[in-house]
């Protein structure tokens, strides 16, 4: 039996961020406070949080995502997949 570390994935656009405030494909909408808080609660419990987004397919998006995470007060080193 394998012992895997529990984790939870959060979609970026439309779940953690407000799609209505996104201006271009190179920007991310404003953080949704209730979802940011939910992600923080998982992190505080020691549960790994991953960011799920189609943007992960474009390496040019990764710095944009990491910058947004920092501005949203989430760890910049979260897995992006």
């Amino acid at each position: 039996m394998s012992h895997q570390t529990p984790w939870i994935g959060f979609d970026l656009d439309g779940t953690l961020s407000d799609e209505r405030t996104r201006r271009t494909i190179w920007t991310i909408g404003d953080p949704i406070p209730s979802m940011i808080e939910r992600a923080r609660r998982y992190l505080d419990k020691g549960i790994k949080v991953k960011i799920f987004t189609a943007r992960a397919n474009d390496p040019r998006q990764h710095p944009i995502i990491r910058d947004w995470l920092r501005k949203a007060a989430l760890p910049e080193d979260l897995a992006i997949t």
Side-chain angles (χ1 to χ4, degrees), residues 19-80:
E19 277 285 281
R20 297 171 298 178
T21 60
R22 184 176 100 177
R23 291 179 290 286
T24 73
I25 193 167
W26 301 106
T27 62
I28 300 173
D30 295 336
I32 298 173
S34 61
M35 292 307 293
I36 299 299
E37 183 56 35
R38 182 173 288 183
R40 281 195 205 119
R41 283 196 307 268
Y42 282 110
L43 290 165
D44 289 345
K45 290 179 182 180
I47 298 172
K48 184 174 187 170
V49 170
K50 296 182 181 185
I51 305 300
F52 276 17
T53 178
R55 294 172 183 255
N57 290 327
D58 185 346
R60 297 171 297 176
Q61 290 282 341
H62 288 228
I64 296 166
I65 296 166
R66 297 217 181 278
D67 185 54
W68 184 90
L69 290 169
R70 182 181 48 75
K71 290 176 181 174
L74 290 171
E76 292 176 60
D77 62 349
L78 295 179
I80 300 170

Side-chain angles (χ1 to χ4, degrees), residues 5-22:
T5 304
W7 60 272
I8 187 162
F10 283 88
D11 182 46
L12 179 60
D13 296 303
T15 300
L16 288 175
S17 70
D18 187 344
E19 277 285 281
R20 297 171 298 178
T21 60
R22 184 176 100 177

